[in-house]
């Protein structure tokens, strides 16, 4: 049986899942989305993902045509229809069909779809031996230009950063703010470790408030670490012993080199590996069962 997706109220075959070329989600990237994961029939941090989706929608004044509870039910139903034990879930709400102008008020009905599938973001070897990343030439856009609470369908800033990563021969790139502060990577948050200090850049600089980021901060606190947000210039990164990235798809991935410069010992750090183990343990017991 082929994959089925939930699209505007019903289930359709993947191949038949089509939306209008007049949807402003396509024409302008006007909409919001979430990337969520399930582990062994448990959806990890589903409430937090839905809260972020609805918050982002509110910021862009997009009314999601389902209650949060109904949205949650539809996600679970999509997983069941496809009989997936471990899945990557993509929930998308678009502005809907309008004319060729920008005015969102002219789009009467938002589009809504849910895809459940598999994803592997980074090759397995990087989890064992650490991943080198580069620094993108493209800067993260300013938080006053684009509210970082919105996980919007317009990912071109990140895609330009990803192209920079590809040009540099790395899988991922760190994006700096226009004033040289460390913000986040193109699809992941970034953390640094020194002794018992665990830090990540504040979202006010323009990063997405990651669900995995929050989980890892909690795990760090449970391990007795001093956890916090830290504003740092690019040059300060190399003073840390360990670095890693977090994201729903990536989980926790050790970073051992930034722009050719080694971080710490050049191997995945002890704290990083411990947090990865803690994280994977948590995914076994936490989450909405289906
Ligand atoms: N930053 C960006 C730009 C992202 O797209 C993502 C999600 N892929 C993250 C950070 C990580 O967020 P989360 O842990 O909620 O997946």
């Amino acid at each position: 049986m082929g994959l089925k997706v939930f699209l505007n109220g019903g289930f359709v075959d993947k191949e038949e899942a089509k939306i209008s070329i007049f949807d402003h989600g396509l024409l302008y990237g006007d909409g919001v989305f979430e990337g969520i994961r399930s582990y062994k029939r448990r959806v990890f941090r589903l409430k937090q993902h839905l809260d972020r989706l609805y918050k982002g929608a509110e910021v862009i004044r997009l009314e999601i045509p389902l209650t949060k509870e109904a949205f949650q039910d539809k996600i679970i139903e999509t997983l069941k229809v496809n009989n997936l034990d471990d899945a990557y879930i993509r929930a998308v709400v678009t502005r809907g069909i309008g004319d060729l102008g920008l005015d969102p008020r002219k789009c009467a009905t938002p589009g809504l779809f849910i895809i459940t599938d598999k994803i592997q973001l980074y090759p397995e070897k990087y989890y064992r031996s650490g991943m080198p990343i580069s620094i993108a030439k493209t800067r993260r856009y300013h938080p006053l230009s684009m509210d970082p609470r919105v996980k919007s369908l317009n990912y071109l800033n990140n895609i330009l950063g990803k192209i920079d990563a590809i040009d540099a021969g790395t899988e991922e790139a760190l994006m700096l703010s226009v004033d040289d502060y460390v913000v986040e990577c193109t699809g992941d948050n970034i953390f640094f470790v020194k002794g018992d200090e665990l830090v990540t850049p504040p979202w006010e600089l323009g990063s997405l408030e990651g669900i995995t980021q929050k989980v890892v901060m909690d795990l760090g606190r449970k391990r007795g670490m001093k956890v916090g947000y830290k504003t740092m210039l690019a040059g300060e990164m190399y003073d840390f012993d360990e670095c890693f990235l977090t994201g729903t798809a990536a989980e926790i991935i050790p970073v051992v080199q930034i722009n050719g410069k080694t971080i710490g010992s050049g191997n995945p750090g002890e704290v990083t590996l411990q947090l990865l183990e803690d994280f994977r343990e948590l995914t076994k017991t936490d989450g909405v069962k289906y």
Side-chain angles (χ1 to χ4, degrees):
M1 192 192 74
L3 201 71
K4 290 206 187 295
V5 306
F6 179 79
L7 174 63
N8 293 330
F11 288 97
V12 291
D13 289 335
K14 180 183 170 181
E15 293 75 21
E16 302 305 318
K18 303 201 168 76
I19 62 159
S20 166
I21 59 166
F22 290 96
D23 192 309
H24 281 206
L26 172 65
L27 285 175
Y28 299 117
D30 186 357
V32 288
F33 78 100
E34 272 303 319
I36 313 167
R37 230 167 127 164
S38 78
Y39 296 89
K40 304 241 178 329
R41 295 185 97 89
R42 286 171 189 272
V43 188
F44 190 63
R45 290 291 192 269
L46 181 52
K47 180 185 181 308
Q48 287 82 347
H49 281 284
L50 285 171
D51 285 348
R52 186 169 68 185
L53 184 75
Y54 277 74
K55 183 79 218 162
E58 189 188 316
V59 171
I60 67 165
R61 299 193 209 165
L62 170 63
E63 204 174 317
I64 299 181
L66 282 180
T67 62
K68 254 186 220 179
E69 293 68 33
F71 209 127
Q72 164 156 335
D73 291 347
K74 283 296 162 208
I75 287 174
I76 300 290
E77 205 181 326
T78 313
L79 287 161
K80 283 183 175 166
V81 162
N82 290 297
N83 197 23
L84 288 164
D85 295 346
D86 298 276
Y88 180 80
I89 302 145
R90 175 61 53 92
V92 181
V93 186
T94 71
R95 185 70 70 180
I97 297 168
D99 63 17
L100 292 177
L102 287 179
D103 192 343
R105 294 170 303 181
K106 291 190 180 161
C107 305
T109 316
L112 192 156
F113 56 89
I114 302 164
I115 307 168
T116 54
D117 207 345
K118 304 261 169 207
I119 193 173
Q120 198 201 4
L121 199 62
Y122 300 121
E124 187 50 40
K125 64 173 182 185
Y126 291 133
Y127 290 86
R128 271 178 276 114
S129 47
M131 189 168 80
I133 63 170
S134 50
I135 299 178
K137 288 201 192 90
T138 308
R139 298 303 173 106
R140 190 78 177 115
Y141 38 33
H142 194 277
L144 293 175
S145 304
M146 176 63 213
D147 191 322
R149 287 174 303 174
V150 185
K151 190 164 165 60
S152 101
L153 288 181
N154 191 327
Y155 251 53
L156 268 183
N157 182 237
N158 311 58
I159 291 164
L160 287 172
K162 186 79 178 181
I163 290 169
D164 293 338
I166 295 163
D167 286 349
T170 57
E171 295 269 348
E172 181 55 298
L174 171 66
M175 299 188 80
L176 305 176
S177 67
V178 288
D179 33 16
D180 294 336
Y181 290 111
V182 175
V183 182
E184 64 175 339
C185 288
T186 70
D188 305 297
N189 293 107
I190 191 162
F191 277 86
F192 295 93
V193 177
K194 192 175 175 69
D196 65 351
E197 190 192 353
L198 175 67
V199 295
T200 186
W203 66 270
E204 286 88 344
L205 290 174
S207 57
L208 186 73
E209 266 189 291
I211 309 291
T212 321
Q213 182 186 39
K214 280 248 164 64
V215 171
V216 166
M217 291 175 90
D218 286 343
L219 290 173
R221 279 186 207 104
K222 282 211 181 101
R223 287 266 162 206
M225 300 189 76
K226 291 195 203 100
V227 180
Y229 294 101
K230 189 175 167 72
T231 301
M232 64 194 118
L233 291 164
E236 295 174 54
M237 294 186 296
Y238 303 99
D239 297 338
F240 288 91
D241 302 329
E242 299 182 27
C243 173
F244 61 86
L245 311 182
T246 63
T248 296
E251 301 180 317
I252 296 174
I253 184 147
V255 169
V256 289
Q257 218 183 64
I258 304 178
N259 254 15
K261 279 195 211 173
T262 302
I263 302 289
S265 67
N267 292 308
E270 234 174 83
V271 174
T272 306
L273 294 176
Q274 181 64 64
L275 290 170
L276 176 59
E277 199 182 310
D278 291 353
F279 180 84
R280 290 197 166 149
E281 210 42 53
L282 187 63
T283 61
K284 288 183 193 163
T285 54
D286 193 279
V288 180
K289 275 180 150 181
Y290 58 95

